[in-house]
């Protein structure tokens, strides 16, 4: 419920309220959403930290891109694709 509430708040551009709704986030989906919120607010350190805690290479790539590090974003994207390819085997 908290994740859906946070997404609804984000959809209405209520970013700080959405962050507050996810303050105690521990599951990967909520951490990814919180990472996006931090990125939207320009807090790339917090966005990176939540992406790491979520274990999301795709989210880390998004933060790297937002930080102006395109080569790092590509490298992280390649990790994500390699993991997906292994999982499909």
């Amino acid at each position: 419920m908290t994740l859906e509430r946070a997404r609804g708040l984000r959809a209405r551009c209520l970013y700080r309220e959405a962050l507050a709704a996810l303050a105690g986030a521990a599951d990967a989906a909520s951490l990814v959403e919180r990472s996006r919120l931090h990125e939207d607010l320009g807090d790339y350190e917090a966005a990176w930290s939540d992406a790491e805690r979520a274990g999301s290479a795709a989210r880390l790539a998004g933060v790297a891109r937002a930080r102006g590090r395109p080569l790092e974003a590509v490298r992280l994207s390649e990790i994500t694709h390699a993991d997906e390819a292994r999982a499909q085997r």
Side-chain angles (χ1 to χ4, degrees):
M1 183 68 173
T2 302
L3 178 57
E4 291 307 315
R5 181 174 180 275
R7 286 179 175 161
L9 290 166
R10 182 173 185 239
R12 293 185 312 209
C13 298
L14 299 171
Y15 299 111
R16 298 208 186 280
E17 291 86 345
L19 274 174
L22 294 171
D27 64 285
S30 295
L31 288 167
V32 165
E33 185 65 24
R34 196 168 72 185
S35 174
R36 288 181 182 131
L37 288 161
H38 283 303
E39 182 184 324
D40 289 342
L41 292 169
D43 187 350
Y44 302 125
E45 291 302 317
W48 186 269
S49 177
D50 280 343
E52 281 184 321
R53 286 186 58 210
S56 175
R59 180 86 283 271
L60 287 169
V63 177
R65 180 199 45 79
R67 285 178 157 172
R69 298 177 180 169
L71 296 177
E72 184 178 8
V74 169
R75 182 184 59 78
L76 288 162
S77 295
E78 290 170 348
I79 291 169
T80 301
H81 291 301
D83 291 342
E84 288 174 0
R86 274 194 299 278
Q88 291 177 0
R89 288 185 203 157

